[in-house]
Amino acid sequence: MRRWKPALIGAATLAALLVPAPAAAADPAAPRATQQPRPAASIGHSKIKAPARAAAADHTVTIRGIDIDGTPVAPLAGLIDPASGAEYPLTQAGDTLTALVPAGTYDLTAIVLTGHPGNPTDLALYGNPALPVNGDVDITMDARTAPELKAVSPSTTATEVTSHAQLTQTIAGQQISSLISGTPQTSLRAWPSATTTRPYHFLYVESQSEPLTTQPAPRVYNLAFPTAGRIPTTLTFTAAPSSLALVNTTYASQGVPSDGVGPHSSVLDFDGINEKVMGLSHTAAAPSTQRIYYTAAGVVWRSNYFYQSGSVQVAERQTSARTYTPGATHSEAWNKAAFGPTVKTGHGQGQLLAFPMIADTGTPGHENLGGNYSEGTPGTLTLYRNGQLVGQSTNPLAGNWNVPAEAATYRLDMSVQRSVPWSRYVSSINASWTFPSAERPGDPFEDQRGLLQLRITGNYDNTGRAPSGVTFPLDVVVERAADGSAVTSASLEASFNNGTTWTTVPLTPNGTDRWTANVPHPTTHNGYVALRVKAADASGNAVNQTVTRAYALN
C-alpha cells in the first residue's frame, strides 16, 4: 500500500491519501455534472499507470471545482479503472482537470479545497465508485452543495477538537485511502455516493471536549462512524450513549506540573477494514482527570500522551491497542508511579544494542519516554558476555557493542544518578539484567525485544504520592522477556531513607507473573520510597534493580 504523506494544517493534519481499491456503482444522488474534493494535501495514486492515449475512440472527462466561497478551483483528484487498477493522468489548466479515457466505468475520488493549501478553511470529499464514461463527461463539484460533516455527542457543551473523513477502498489488490482532516477552523463536508458491493468504506471520526475547567472532570468524546459500501446520505452522525464506553482517565505528573496542556492522541483501526485513521486529539494538563467516552463496537484504539515541562516533553504511549465494550466503564492512568527502568535489546549484524527507558511507568501496557534525556542523567551501561567484560557506554540511555553471533549469556548493568527539573523521581538506579541471546536476522535497530521488566503500581495520587502511616498495597507485575518463560522467583524490599536501611515486603501471588505487596509506610521518612526488586524465570532471564525515589509519600 502506498501513501502520500499528509501536510500539516495548523494544529491539525490535513491529508488526502489514496491507496488503490475496487470499483463501485455510480451514485445517482451525487452531483452529476458537479462533484469533487481537493485538500491542501495529496491524494494517493494507483501504482499502475495507464498508457498515454489519443485514440479516436477516447472520451474526455472534464472535472471542475467550486470552493465554499464560490471561487472556481481545480480539484485534487484521482481517476482509476477499477478493473485493471490503471490510473489515468489528469491534466490541469486553470481551474479544470481533463483526462482522455476509453469507454468504461471508473472510480473517481476528489477533494475541493477552500483557502490556502497550507491552512484551508474547508475541505469537501467526493467519491464515485462507478463513474460511467460512454462519451465526453463534464463534472462540476460545487462545495456549496456538499453537506457538512458533523458529529452529535451526548454533551451540550462539548465542541469539536479534531475530525477526519476517510474513504478507503481496494482496487486491483491495492488499498487506496483519501483522507481530509478538520479543526474548528477547517470544516469538512462530503457528497453522498451510490452504493457498491466491492470493498468501499467511508469513515468519519471526531473528537469533542467540554471546557477543561468543567467539574468534576471534563467529558471528552472520541467518536467513530464507519459506513460500508458508500458515502451515506445523512452526514450528521449521532452517538447514542449506549454505544460508548467510558474510560476514567488520570493524567499524572512526576511531581512537577505541566506547563499548560499537551495532546492526548488516539489512532483508530476498524474491524474488517484494516485501515488506520489519523489520530484524534484533545488536550489535557498534568496532573488532571477526564472522563473520555469512546465509540466501542467495531473500533480499536491506541493512544499516546505528552506534556511539556520546561524544555522537555514528557511522553508516554500505549504498547498495545485497546478494545472496549459498549456501556462498560474502564480506567486508564498516564505517567503513573512507581517509576523505574526497562530495557529493550537488538542483536544482529554483529552488534548488540541496548535501549533503556530510565523512568518508565508502573502501568503495564504503557511505555514512558519522559526519562530519556541526557541532561541531568549521568551514568553507565556495562555489558558482559559469558561473564567477560564486552564494554561500557558512558551514555546510560543507549549502548552499542560488537559481539559474536553465537548464543551466549549476557549481563547488562546500569548505573545512573539523576537530577532533572521536570521530575522528582528516579534519583538513582543500580540495575542488572541477565539474558540469553544469539544474533537474529535483520536490523537490530528494528528488531528490539524487551528483557525481563518490572511494573509496580498502586493507588497513588496524580503526582505519584502515597499516604504515610498506612499499609499500602502495590501491584507487582513482571513482564516476561521476549523469549522467556513464566517467572519462577520474585522478591521486593522497600526503603524510606534512600537505601540506608531496607524492609522486606512479602509478595502474595495474584495471577501469572503478578503479585500483591503490602508495604508498611512509616510516619517518619524522607518523603520517598526506594524499591529493590529481583525476579527470574526458568529460561535464564533475571533482573535485579534498585530505584531510589520510585514513588513519594505524603
Side-chain angles (χ1 to χ4, degrees):
M1 180 172 73
R2 179 170 150 224
R3 295 180 178 275
W4 288 66
K5 297 297 183 184
L8 291 179
I9 304 299
T13 304
L14 165 67
L17 296 84
L18 253 182
V19 195
D27 184 352
R32 290 177 59 86
T34 328
Q35 284 212 323
Q36 157 178 21
R38 169 179 186 169
S42 303
I43 275 190
H45 299 282
S46 171
K47 298 176 183 178
I48 304 170
K49 301 302 179 184
R53 306 181 57 90
D58 281 349
H59 305 296
T60 301
V61 176
T62 302
I63 305 170
R64 298 179 176 87
I66 299 175
D67 71 16
I68 200 69
D69 297 326
T71 302
V73 294
L76 188 68
L79 185 65
I80 301 173
D81 178 354
S84 66
E87 180 178 8
Y88 285 81
L90 292 160
T91 301
Q92 181 176 345
D95 58 6
T96 302
L97 302 175
T98 57
L100 285 174
V101 301
T105 300
Y106 296 87
D107 179 89
L108 175 60
T109 305
I111 300 168
V112 174
L113 179 149
T114 301
H116 189 279
N119 188 24
T121 57
D122 185 88
L123 296 165
L125 177 64
Y126 172 85
N128 189 337
L131 173 70
V133 177
N134 300 309
D136 290 349
V137 175
D138 196 309
I139 299 174
T140 300
M141 301 175 180
D142 189 340
R144 296 170 297 180
T145 68
E148 187 172 357
L149 290 157
K150 295 180 180 180
V152 179
S153 73
S155 171
T156 58
T157 61
T159 57
E160 178 189 352
V161 182
T162 55
S163 60
H164 306 287
Q166 181 163 316
L167 195 58
T168 296
Q169 52 182 321
T170 305
I171 293 178
Q174 303 177 73
Q175 187 165 294
I176 302 179
S177 298
S178 288
L179 175 67
I180 56 175
S181 299
T183 67
Q185 294 75 40
T186 303
S187 53
L188 302 183
R189 59 192 70 243
W191 290 273
S193 76
T195 300
T196 179
T197 57
R198 67 180 175 88
Y200 194 90
H201 300 274
F202 176 77
L203 314 171
Y204 181 67
V205 298
E206 182 174 316
S207 62
Q208 298 183 3
S209 176
E210 294 180 335
L212 297 185
T213 54
T214 302
Q215 296 297 327
R219 289 180 293 179
V220 173
Y221 294 87
N222 285 330
L223 307 175
F225 307 95
T227 303
R230 63 193 175 99
I231 299 176
T233 303
T234 301
L235 294 171
T236 295
F237 302 91
T238 300
S242 60
S243 70
L244 306 176
L246 169 62
V247 180
N248 290 311
T249 303
T250 299
Y251 302 96
S253 73
Q254 294 189 23
V256 179
S258 63
D259 297 336
V261 297
H264 177 171
S265 300
S266 299
V267 175
L268 299 77
D269 203 349
F270 290 86
D271 292 350
I273 301 178
N274 190 32
E275 175 66 8
K276 290 179 173 59
V277 173
M278 295 179 64
L280 290 176
S281 182
H282 65 277
T283 57
S288 70
T289 58
Q290 293 183 353
R291 296 170 289 170
I292 306 180
Y293 291 84
Y294 293 85
T295 297
V299 186
V300 177
W301 301 86
R302 188 169 180 173
S303 300
N304 61 72
Y305 169 68
F306 72 80
Y307 65 87
Q308 197 78 23
S309 180
S311 61
V312 169
Q313 288 183 350
V314 182
E316 185 166 310
R317 62 191 175 195
Q318 293 174 339
T319 57
S320 59
R322 306 292 195 264
T323 57
Y324 302 115
T325 301
T329 299
H330 308 262
S331 62
E332 187 89 48
W334 294 88
N335 209 48
K336 188 176 183 180
F339 298 102
T342 60
V343 179
K344 293 180 180 178
T345 61
H347 190 173
Q349 300 177 354
Q351 296 178 306
L352 193 145
L353 313 181
F355 306 93
M357 301 288 178
I358 295 296
D360 211 344
T361 176
T363 304
H366 283 233
E367 190 173 65
N368 192 296
L369 313 177
N372 280 34
Y373 291 89
S374 58
E375 173 191 347
T377 312
T380 59
L381 287 175
T382 307
L383 183 70
Y384 297 86
R385 183 179 187 271
N386 292 335
Q388 300 298 310
L389 176 66
V390 176
Q392 184 177 83
S393 168
T394 56
N395 176 9
L397 304 179
N400 181 350
W401 300 274
N402 295 324
V403 297
E406 293 76 22
T409 297
Y410 289 87
R411 191 182 87 230
L412 180 67
D413 292 348
M414 173 190 288
S415 177
V416 173
Q417 299 295 317
R418 182 173 182 253
S419 179
V420 294
W422 64 86
S423 175
R424 295 177 181 169
Y425 298 111
V426 190
S427 59
S428 70
I429 299 171
N430 284 287
S432 178
W433 291 266
T434 301
F435 57 100
S437 186
E439 184 167 284
R440 300 185 290 269
D443 188 338
F445 283 96
E446 299 294 333
D447 184 13
Q448 300 178 25
R449 303 187 183 185
L451 304 183
L452 209 60
Q453 319 281 20
L454 298 165
R455 303 286 184 182
I456 302 173
T457 193
N459 190 25
Y460 309 104
D461 68 13
N462 58 13
T463 63
R465 298 177 302 178
S468 303
V470 302
T471 298
F472 187 73
L474 292 178
D475 187 33
V476 179
V477 175
V478 181
E479 295 179 344
R480 296 185 188 184
D483 300 319
S485 54
V487 176
T488 56
S489 65
S491 65
L492 173 68
E493 297 173 88
S495 174
F496 311 102
N497 53 17
N498 284 342
T500 301
T501 58
W502 291 91
T503 299
T504 299
V505 182
L507 294 177
T508 302
N510 188 24
T512 304
D513 302 334
R514 182 185 292 264
W515 295 263
T516 297
N518 292 306
V519 184
H521 288 167
T523 55
T524 301
H525 49 75
N526 71 339
Y528 296 92
V529 178
L531 295 177
R532 178 188 290 162
V533 194
K534 300 178 183 179
D537 68 11
S539 302
N541 296 283
V543 60
N544 181 349
Q545 71 180 42
T546 300
V547 178
T548 306
R549 294 193 176 190
Y551 64 95
L553 294 176
N554 287 327

